[in-house]
Amino acid sequence: MSRALYIVRHGESEYNAKGLLAGITDIPLTDTGREQARQAGAQLAQLGITRIVSSPLVRAYETARIIADTIGFDPEAIIVDERLHERNFGELEGTVWSERSLVGVAGLEPAESVLSRAQAMLEYDASLATTERVLFVAHASLIRAFMQLVDPETKHFGDTTMRMPNARPLQLRPVFRELPE
């Protein structure tokens, strides 16, 4: 098999269910989120995933473990990488998410920082053997950053109105596309 890179956002968290912005606040999955993770695993089962790399936040790591169990990947082999954590939304964390401006938000992680972390993860992936089939389990802001880096014309990262579904696998490389359900 040739190299491929897949990414999936964590399953529904307790904050997602309440419409709250989590950011780096460590919030667990709901039962719905666990079922979404199992469904994502079923979608990924035939792709020959050879490496799973997860955000350290519990909602992503639990999603990664459920996917690993579903596809027959050793959950103990999951790599946790800090660069995959969600964007720090500062004073907005724990508040109702709305399509608001992020300008002037105290404690907000700069966009350049998130894009830099995403770029570093793409470089990490590129450094692996050409037969690796990697799955990143991360968060909406990181996925938007990855999408912008692989398709710069789209400006996904700055689009705060773009909703990112929970636990829907995407292929980033060799070409960007949604995986069929």
Side-chain angles (χ1 to χ4, degrees), residues 63-133:
T63 299
R65 288 189 66 88
I66 292 168
I67 289 171
D69 285 339
T70 304
I71 68 173
F73 184 92
D74 178 5
E76 299 305 314
I78 295 170
I79 299 165
V80 175
D81 195 307
E82 291 285 333
R83 295 173 291 188
L84 289 175
H85 72 75
E86 177 60 290
R87 185 178 194 180
N88 183 343
F89 285 96
E91 66 185 8
L92 292 180
E93 293 190 14
T95 66
V96 175
W97 174 249
S98 62
E99 298 169 6
R100 64 175 93 176
S101 170
L102 297 177
V103 175
V105 173
L108 178 69
E109 180 180 2
E112 298 78 21
S113 173
V114 181
L115 288 163
S116 176
R117 289 191 285 120
Q119 181 62 46
M121 292 306 298
L122 289 175
E123 291 168 8
Y124 163 79
D125 173 64
S127 75
L128 300 173
T130 58
T131 57
E132 289 277 0
R133 300 181 72 74

Side-chain angles (χ1 to χ4, degrees), residues 4-173:
L5 174 60
Y6 304 95
I7 189 162
V8 67
R9 181 182 181 206
H10 59 81
E12 180 190 71
S13 72
E14 291 178 7
Y15 270 23
N16 293 145
K18 296 175 183 175
L20 303 177
L21 185 59
I24 61 170
T25 305
D26 214 2
I27 304 299
L29 294 178
T30 62
D31 288 340
T32 297
R34 290 180 191 93
E35 180 55 31
Q36 290 170 336
R38 281 188 279 284
Q39 291 172 6
Q43 282 183 266
L44 294 162
Q46 301 305 312
L47 299 177
I49 302 296
T50 59
R51 183 180 302 243
I52 298 177
V53 186
S54 176
S55 159
L57 296 176
V58 68
R59 59 192 182 269
Y61 185 69
E62 184 178 1
T63 299
R65 288 189 66 88
I66 292 168
I67 289 171
D69 285 339
T70 304
I71 68 173
F73 184 92
D74 178 5
E76 299 305 314
I78 295 170
I79 299 165
V80 175
D81 195 307
E82 291 285 333
R83 295 173 291 188
L84 289 175
H85 72 75
E86 177 60 290
R87 185 178 194 180
N88 183 343
F89 285 96
E91 66 185 8
L92 292 180
E93 293 190 14
T95 66
V96 175
W97 174 249
S98 62
E99 298 169 6
R100 64 175 93 176
S101 170
L102 297 177
V103 175
V105 173
L108 178 69
E109 180 180 2
E112 298 78 21
S113 173
V114 181
L115 288 163
S116 176
R117 289 191 285 120
Q119 181 62 46
M121 292 306 298
L122 289 175
E123 291 168 8
Y124 163 79
D125 173 64
S127 75
L128 300 173
T130 58
T131 57
E132 289 277 0
R133 300 181 72 74
V134 179
L135 173 65
F136 290 161
V137 183
H139 306 271
S141 293
L142 260 292
I143 294 172
R144 283 189 195 95
F146 284 123
M147 291 167 69
Q148 182 164 321
L149 290 167
V150 299
D151 186 10
E153 297 299 314
T154 58
K155 305 290 185 219
H156 289 293
F157 185 72
D159 184 358
T160 58
T161 64
M162 185 175 120
R163 303 307 299 155
M164 189 64 55
N166 293 97
R168 179 176 298 159
L170 300 170
Q171 179 178 302
L172 285 179
R173 289 184 178 159

